[in-house]
Amino acid sequence: MYRLKQLPEDFIVAEIPNLKPEQIGKFLYFWLEKKEKNTIDAVQELARKLGVREKDIGFAGSKDKHAVTKQLISLSGIPKEKILSAELSNASLSFYGYGDKPISLGDLTGNAFEIVVRNLDKEMIEATDRFENYFDEQRFSEKNAEIGRHIIKKEFRQAVGLMDEYQVRKHLEDKPNDFIGALKTLPLRSLRMYVNAYQSYLWNKMVASYLGKNGKNTKKVRYTLGELVFVSDTVHFKDLEIPLIGFNDD
């Protein structure tokens, strides 16, 4: 059976930024390179080392934990030398340049991947120039989509009950029934991450359903939240646009 991510170096991701560095600017941009560490953990550690709030460190998207990744982050009001001197576990920083705005979720052109697949001696791989680009396990983690669903439905007790967040647990120790207050202890982008996970799950389900009804030679692959459907006639769907629920919908 083939193996993915047997080693962190088997999955390398490099962010493709959509901004150009300047010589001066209010914000400083740094490359954050990490290994076997997720983006949130790296940002939280850096915030503690610099004595700033987690939300003061901007980034475009969360990168996989079980991988070697490179992405841009932004900070302001801190000397460049102090930031570069911060010692992080399984991560390092290098200066990229200056700019006039912080990096926010979605501020990237895309990601470049280098993926090693092992144990392929008995596997037959068909050549293809396109494939279905589903959201996969990195987006969902173990409970992200379920938490996002509860938030959307305003089921805040259930949402915080599924979270493994220190700030949330600490708040509920003092105010056991203040579930909205507990959620407010988290950065807005963390709450969006849960909602985005639920949106992504619904998108996967919609695409799989459409291809299952309209594609040829469909193949179903199980994942933690259901089934993904792949088809042999991908060329017929190359111009298909399926919006992410919550955006561009009437």
Side-chain angles (χ1 to χ4, degrees), residues 201-239:
Y201 157 71
L202 293 176
W203 191 87
N204 277 2
K205 189 173 182 179
M206 188 163 44
V207 173
S209 176
Y210 183 88
L211 293 179
K213 293 177 182 178
N214 298 283
K216 293 182 179 179
N217 301 321
T218 59
K219 178 181 179 180
K220 297 181 179 180
V221 176
R222 294 287 303 174
Y223 79 120
T224 54
L225 298 182
E227 288 184 335
L228 305 177
V229 174
F230 297 85
V231 299
S232 61
D233 55 338
T234 54
V235 66
H236 294 145
F237 303 100
K238 65 178 182 178
D239 296 321

Side-chain angles (χ1 to χ4, degrees), residues 108-137:
L108 74 167
T109 299
N111 294 287
F113 293 87
E114 183 178 329
I115 301 172
V116 175
V117 183
R118 299 181 183 273
N119 293 0
L120 280 174
D121 292 345
K122 297 181 181 180
E123 298 285 343
M124 297 295 294
I125 299 179
E126 298 180 7
T128 182
D129 59 354
R130 57 178 60 87
F131 58 90
E132 299 82 345
N133 192 18
Y134 288 105
F135 294 98
D136 204 355
E137 308 296 353

Side-chain angles (χ1 to χ4, degrees), residues 62 90 108 146 235:
S62 184
N90 295 336
L108 74 167
E146 188 176 358
V235 66

Side-chain angles (χ1 to χ4, degrees), residues 12 17 24 66 70 102 107 117 132 154 158 162 167 177:
I12 299 175
I24 58 173
H66 304 292
K70 181 179 181 180
D107 281 345
V117 183
E132 299 82 345
K154 298 183 179 180
Q158 294 91 325
L162 293 173
Q167 304 99 301
N177 295 313

Side-chain angles (χ1 to χ4, degrees), residues 30-89:
F30 295 86
W31 284 115
L32 170 65
E33 298 186 54
K34 59 184 185 60
K35 174 181 176 181
E36 293 190 286
K37 189 184 191 78
N38 66 44
T39 300
I40 296 295
D41 287 345
V43 167
Q44 289 176 340
E45 183 183 5
L46 180 60
R48 290 195 302 270
K49 294 289 179 69
L50 297 177
V52 301
R53 298 173 300 179
E54 178 188 336
K55 66 180 182 180
D56 292 332
I57 303 175
F59 57 89
S62 184
K63 296 293 184 290
D64 207 331
K65 176 178 180 180
H66 304 292
V68 176
T69 71
K70 181 179 181 180
Q71 66 185 117
L72 282 180
I73 64 171
S74 65
L75 292 115
S76 66
I78 304 174
K80 178 175 69 174
E81 293 73 19
K82 181 177 180 180
I83 297 171
L84 290 174
S85 66
E87 295 184 1
L88 305 175
S89 60

